[in-house]
Amino acid sequence: MSYVAVSALSHPGLLRDKNEDSLVAGPWTLCATVTENPQTLVFPLGTPLVVAVADGLGGHPGGEVASALVARRFAALGPALGSEDAVRGAVASCNRAVYTAAEGGEDDGRGLAMMGTTVAGAVVLPKELLVFNVGDSRVFAAPRSGLRQVSVDDSPPLAPGQRTTSLVTQCLGGSPHYRAVVAHVTATPLSPGDRYLVCTDGLTDPVPEETIDAVLREHDDGRAAFELWKAAISAGGPDNITFALVRVADDD
């Protein structure tokens, strides 16, 4: 029987007072919490399985509220995400939900009017993977031949010599008035042995892709997740660090 192993970790890093990231893997969520030890979950390959991260916007109140809302909504919607159109609909639904929650927060004095979050993830189907994102959280294919980004950054062009930016050109919520989003959704064939990394920029900003690639070539699952976390912490841990490694396997 084919199965999907998901190894996940979420940590505030070394400089932030709190964790505004959230993560979903199937019905399981990590919302604004801390896990120094990677958690590995195993799911049968069959029913659509969503694995995604949401990175609450720094500098806006309520980032952790927005990211948790999106993670929990994807946990509820996940089993129905069997097509690209369904994924786009789920992202649009999350965007509307963030704005609705922000309006309610403004009314009750919580000051959440500008809260927002990025999202990036993958829906694992028996024969294909649906990759999606809004914002600058990322999804990478991680075959032994080398790391390859399959999501599309919603970021302004980088200046010469600039490797990263904290600016995003679209996100879920994050504006005083409702703005629709255009989710990037890509379908790719899937087979046993395939591996993917879903992560917030708390991993990719401080850790170069060649370092991430080297870790994933050497390790699998929980050990790989632990080594990626160590690399981000060794690089200063400037932001919340949240990611999931997805591996498709066959136990025949």
Side-chain angles (χ1 to χ4, degrees), residues 27 56 63 67 97 107 118 152 160 179 194:
S67 71
D107 292 341
T118 68
V152 179
R179 293 176 58 185
D194 287 351

Side-chain angles (χ1 to χ4, degrees), residues 12-241:
L14 299 179
L15 301 183
R16 298 296 175 93
D17 293 332
K18 59 184 178 180
N19 190 357
E20 294 186 288
D21 289 354
S22 295
L23 180 145
V24 54
W28 183 76
T29 58
L30 282 174
C31 299
T33 189
V34 178
T35 55
E36 291 187 355
N37 298 316
Q39 311 293 307
T40 298
L41 305 172
V42 178
F43 303 90
L45 184 63
T47 301
L49 173 71
V50 63
V51 180
V53 296
D55 181 353
L57 295 187
H60 292 213
E64 73 280 8
V65 177
S67 71
L69 186 158
V70 169
R72 290 169 179 149
R73 197 169 187 88
F74 267 107
L77 296 174
L81 302 182
S83 69
E84 293 182 50
D85 284 344
V87 173
R88 290 189 181 93
V91 173
S93 173
C94 287
N95 188 42
R96 289 192 296 271
V98 171
Y99 278 105
T100 298
E103 291 170 1
E106 186 177 22
D107 292 341
D108 65 17
R110 288 188 293 167
L112 304 182
M114 292 285 286
M115 75 174 184
T117 182
T118 68
V119 67
V123 180
V124 185
L125 302 174
K127 298 295 183 181
E128 67 178 357
L129 191 85
L130 304 177
V131 174
F132 64 92
N133 79 286
V134 172
D136 59 357
S137 292
R138 292 178 175 176
V139 181
F140 294 90
R144 299 294 179 185
S145 57
L147 198 68
R148 175 174 55 88
Q149 184 174 338
V150 289
S151 58
V152 179
D153 290 347
D154 287 315
S155 299
L158 297 176
Q162 184 182 14
R163 194 177 71 82
T164 65
T165 176
S166 61
L167 301 177
V168 294
T169 54
Q170 67 168 352
C171 60
L172 307 184
S175 299
H177 305 289
Y178 175 80
R179 293 176 58 185
V181 295
V182 179
H184 306 280
V185 184
T186 304
T188 185
L190 189 71
S191 60
D194 287 351
R195 298 187 305 160
Y196 289 85
L197 171 65
V198 181
C199 59
T200 64
D201 62 358
L203 176 65
T204 54
D205 278 359
V207 184
E209 286 187 21
E210 55 266 28
T211 301
I212 296 173
D213 184 40
V215 169
L216 296 181
R217 286 173 184 268
E218 185 173 355
H219 304 289
D220 280 328
D221 298 349
R223 178 60 186 275
F226 182 72
E227 294 297 333
L228 289 176
W229 173 75
K230 279 177 54 181
I233 292 297
S234 296
D239 199 355
N240 305 152
I241 307 158

